[in-house]
Amino acid sequence: MYVFAVENNEQLFIDFCLESDRNALLDFRIGLEDPQNRLGSWKGNNYCQWRGISCNEVGAVTTLDLHNRYPNNRYDFWNLSGEIRPSLTKLKSLRHLDLSFNTFKGISIPEFFGSLKDLKYLNLSNAEFSGLIPRNIGNLSRLQYLDLDHLYYLSVNSIDWIASLVSLKHLVMDGIDLSMSTILNRVAYAFLLVGKYQQPCDRRYNSGLHGGIPLGLADLPNLQFLKLSWNNLSANCSQFFRGRWKSIRVFDFDFNKLDGEFPALIGNVSSLTYMRLNENQLVGKLPESLGQLKNLVRLSISNNLLQGPIPRSLGSLQNLTYLEQSYNRLTGNLPNSLGELSELSFLDLSFNQLTEIVNETHFLKLHKLEYADLFSNSFIMDINSTWIPPFQVKFLYMGSSHLRPSFPTWIRSQKVVQFLDLSNASISGSIPDWFWETFSNLSWLNVSSNQLKSQLPITFNKFSISLLDLSSKNFEGSIISFSNNVDLVLLDLSNNKLSGPIPKTIGSTLTNLMFLSISNNQIQGKIPASIGNLLSIKVIDFSNNSLEGTLPSIGNCSHLEASDLRKNNLFGTIPNDFDLADNGFNGSIPASFRYFKAMIQVQRENHYLFYGHFNRRNYEDNLVVKVKGQDKNGSVLEDISKLGQLSSLDLSNNKLSGVIPNSLSSLLFLGHLNLSNNKLSSKIPYNGHTATLEASSFVGNLGLCGQLLDTKFSDDDNGDLGKETTLDEEDNNDEENLIDKWFYLSVGLGFAAGLLVPFFHVGNEKIFERILFRCCG
């Protein structure tokens, strides 16, 4: 608590206010979902030291800044979500409110924001709010900065309230549905901003403006600001820039359908400072005339079809701070002239076909560079081992470059780097001893797919790392142990030569872990019981090791989506509370599979699997359950037709009886079927998709006949054969009709996740036989 030299009554008043602000913040936090505990510092009395909080001289809260600091890094698990509670209105001195780049999942902007009358700064951009913008935002007469950029299906029915924002200096409403407003009748030709949100990179969900862009816009000589991003508008880019623009400064057409070649006349638009053409359909080469845009500060042209080399003239853009050209088809070498861009802080050339040698000259004057992404090209880094770069980057992605042959020593100079990707970079030898000490502040490290032969550090106690990918081929030693203060989200140690046990405390120290893979190593011992404490875990892969013993109870892992325990020496039974979805696994394996909620619904996008999202590769999309040897009774249900996306079904080598349902022929995606070596008895359906299957799918069932097997029997015999192969009723009850339970499962289209349940052994006796489902997508 703060102490001030004031009279008693005033001191009591201040104490009351401070306690009120603290209580308001704590109440506000209750409504938030904070999966990575970003607000872990919100405890104790000194709330002015809490993360995102600033106070004035008497300790009253003036700033609440909870924006996501990592919006450009291909994953979203640092996002806050949940409810915005009205306790914010009790922060009487609040001047600055920033909730941008979070994930509020379509909730409305709260009406009570309009009562924060002293607010000067409000930023809700890219935070997934939806619905109508509250009209009472117009009550914020002191507001100077309002950013509602790219929200989630946000709309207005009137913009008259904007006129009440008499102090406003900065307004962004890109991505807002203005179809019900009167903005087009009021727009000044000096400022034009129209748009509507669409789902990124998926034009099926684009519901913004459609049609051609009027070329007459290019004949407005006073137009300074033109922003039509996130629509479905088309135009020929070359024609568009043949107009009389003399004053245009901002040109933003992200996520549209501009086509044709990049305009060769672009150099005539000399006043241009900001140009965004990401996610269009531009073709051809980048013209050398780009170098004439001496005022250009930002050039973003990612996700197009541009080819050819990067123009050398770009090196003359001395005001350029942001250069983004990723996901094109650019070829050739990197111009030496780029090393002259002394103001450049952001460089993204990833996912192109750039080649040739990169040396110190390419970075000669890049003193301000903070973000460098050269991922997925074929650069050959010819850099002297004694080179000291002129920059201090925070984000360095050099995966798929050739950094050969040994670990690059110049990286040691990068003291502030937080995200480091050296994957698939042709590095061999060992990681130097200085590495682990120098980069103890990393948030993300990926050195996978190299030929490194290092001993892993025994502990990572000094690290604050969140993502650690050391999947390679030659790391040796034991699994790293971590201290309690590590907020690790992803740990991939797969495909190495690690040995020894899994640390017993792994589940109690890595409580935020979402992805864990130690597959293809030489790990021994038991799976520790603390695994059940991984409350956020979504993927566990322990396959291809030498683990033994029984599977511990992991009933608290309610978010688990994919598990692979194949090729170990585990035995016993799966615990009754083994939960692989959203709570609900009970009893034996067969009965519980009906509760795979993560796979019941058809999903058109992967809400999880961030592993592929940031690491440019997805986890294997299959579901395999292997059930060996034990008598499994029951029949193939007619309900199997409900598995409309099923592409592979293997029920061979069991004791299934009864008939093959005709509904099997309706499974249009079924490419592989194996019902061999059972006790099925019926005429094999020979219609629809079933007619395309092979005879080998049905052999070893003495009671089957039909065209596929070239055998016949009478209808009367069919019933008798069915009775002969049916096992006794008691066994049926004991097994709880295995197959009956199985086919409550429905596999979702394109859902890239899977479950791989291990072989279980009791002594030398095999217990399970194979049942295979494979997702289609």
Side-chain angles (χ1 to χ4, degrees), residues 415-419 436-444 462-465:
K415 305 297 185 182
V416 298
V417 66
Q418 298 176 23
F419 293 78
W436 305 111
E437 185 70 28
T438 302
F439 297 117
S440 60
N441 292 322
L442 282 175
S443 293
W444 174 20
K462 296 181 180 180
F463 274 59
S464 58
I465 198 162

Side-chain angles (χ1 to χ4, degrees), residues 35-58:
Q36 292 307 308
N37 199 24
R38 284 175 50 192
L39 305 184
S41 64
W42 285 34
K43 53 189 175 183
N45 292 328
N46 193 2
Y47 57 84
C48 290
Q49 300 298 318
W50 294 356
R51 184 173 185 173
I53 304 297
S54 296
C55 300
N56 61 17
E57 63 277 4
V58 297

Side-chain angles (χ1 to χ4, degrees), residues 40 68 174 180 226 264 324 372 381 432 451 692 718:
N68 182 3
D174 188 25
M180 295 188 293
L226 178 58
E324 184 181 12
M381 308 300 291
Q451 298 294 326
T692 67
N718 185 21

